[in-house]
Amino acid sequence: MSSWARICSCVAALSFLQSAACRAGAFLQKPGEGIVILSTSFADAHKAYDSRGKLVAAPSYAKFETQAYVEYGLIDEITFVAESSYMRFRGANEQRQLEQLQYLTAEAIAGAPLYLPPGLGGGARYEGLGAGWIGGRLRLLEWGATILSVQGSLRAATPAAQTYLDMKRRLQEDVRLQLGWPVEIFGLTGFSDMQLGYRSLGQSGDELRGEMTFGLRPVDGVLLLAQSFFSFSPWSGSAPFMSSQKAQVSAVYDVTREVALQLGVRASLRGVNDSAERGLLGALWYRF
């Protein structure tokens, strides 16, 4: 698989992980209540992890993404979840000048007017709908303030977007077991959340995914989040093996009881056949 294919195949993994930053994890919404989160992120990469996990130079790219995520409590035991996204991907082409020169040379030999078509040698380009998904979260067990739940969702994308997403086919299934519990440190309240999931039909085959989130409120109205995301494809078959570990830290500030703002940064920590991506994110929360 080419460097570009490897880079494009991991873009969706980060897209999904970034949006997960805002979710309630294992916890459910009360019936008739919910949350809408509009998030925007910008990320780029100039290096990638090769097949041995070594950081090497790779074709660079930049990605801008906007997502709309919603949770709504249907009944005490079930919360509806869904998301849609719009993305713009711009990849650099290290051979751009050579491709343009070859094109002009061919025109000169043919005696045709010298003309460079717009975008020639400009690298990969995409702008349009990203991945969207719909599903539900079901409470399995609850003891005290600790909760165990399971979430299942169906993920889809257009054929044009697939190249830039971690999707071998247009439809994917995602199932994850989630455990959440409250924490208290030096009188400060917070929560922890752990998730273990399975996603079908990634670019390198079916994937196992893990997520850990730790949230703490240092003062009223401010929530600090530290998160780690991990994914790998143990059943890659003929496709190259892929693994990814990324981290994200952010802060959520309550403007009012209903409205909150989130700002954060994220970066790749290690991987195999994965891009070394880094980026910024911002989000607007609305609770209803």
Side-chain angles (χ1 to χ4, degrees):
M1 182 178 287
S2 67
S3 297
W4 265 119
R6 291 172 184 164
I7 290 172
C8 293
S9 69
C10 72
V11 169
L14 186 62
S15 302
F16 181 82
L17 296 177
Q18 187 278 320
S19 62
C22 302
R23 297 174 187 160
F27 303 97
L28 281 75
Q29 298 289 340
K30 295 180 180 179
E33 297 183 5
I35 187 170
V36 176
I37 301 173
L38 301 177
S39 62
T40 298
S41 64
F42 174 81
D44 62 11
H46 302 278
K47 294 184 178 181
Y49 299 99
D50 64 12
S51 59
R52 296 175 296 176
K54 183 179 179 181
L55 195 61
V56 297
S60 61
Y61 68 84
K63 177 170 66 75
F64 175 86
E65 189 168 19
T66 298
Q67 297 168 319
Y69 173 77
V70 61
E71 286 189 0
Y72 180 75
L74 298 176
I75 59 177
D76 285 334
E77 295 78 15
I78 299 178
T79 291
F80 168 81
V81 292
E83 182 178 270
S84 62
S85 66
Y86 185 89
M87 64 180 293
R88 184 180 65 196
F89 184 93
R90 294 290 184 267
N93 186 349
E94 305 298 329
Q95 303 297 320
R96 179 176 183 177
Q97 292 182 340
L98 178 59
E99 290 184 16
Q100 292 178 342
L101 179 60
Q102 290 174 337
Y103 188 90
L104 291 173
T105 300
E107 286 185 323
I109 293 175
L114 298 183
Y115 169 73
L116 281 176
L120 178 66
R125 294 286 189 273
Y126 176 76
E127 185 168 357
L129 292 176
W133 57 271
I134 186 171
R137 184 180 304 134
L138 172 67
R139 176 188 296 147
L140 296 179
L141 296 172
E142 188 172 7
W143 56 100
T146 301
I147 185 170
L148 178 68
S149 62
V150 62
Q151 179 173 303
S153 60
L154 182 64
R155 191 165 180 257
T158 64
Q162 269 184 259
T163 303
Y164 305 92
L165 297 170
D166 185 26
M167 303 178 71
K168 184 176 292 185
R169 299 180 184 175
R170 292 182 59 187
L171 295 177
Q172 288 179 316
E173 298 82 31
D174 187 282
V175 180
R176 52 187 57 212
L177 191 65
Q178 305 168 311
L179 177 67
W181 66 96
V183 298
E184 184 173 343
I185 301 177
F186 302 116
L188 303 179
T189 61
F191 72 95
S192 290
D193 182 271
M194 296 177 60
Q195 302 185 20
L196 179 62
Y198 163 84
R199 179 182 291 179
S200 67
L201 303 171
Q203 293 284 1
S204 293
D206 296 349
E207 299 171 353
L208 292 181
R209 292 174 168 263
E211 176 181 334
M212 295 189 65
T213 299
F214 178 74
L216 193 66
R217 287 192 177 274
V219 296
D220 289 341
V222 176
L223 174 64
L224 302 180
L225 292 172
Q227 297 171 281
S228 176
F229 308 100
F230 178 73
S231 67
F232 71 105
S233 52
W235 309 286
S236 55
S238 59
F241 173 80
M242 186 278 291
S243 71
S244 172
Q245 184 179 4
K246 304 180 190 297
Q248 179 171 293
V249 292
S250 62
V252 183
Y253 172 70
D254 293 334
V255 180
T256 67
R257 182 180 178 278
E258 295 81 15
V259 178
L261 298 175
Q262 181 185 19
L263 292 174
V265 296
R266 65 192 184 208
S268 175
L269 300 180
R270 59 178 61 89
V272 175
N273 290 322
D274 186 43
S275 67
E277 193 170 88
R278 59 188 179 182
L280 304 172
L281 66 101
L284 173 67
W285 299 31
Y286 176 71
R287 308 178 184 97
F288 60 92

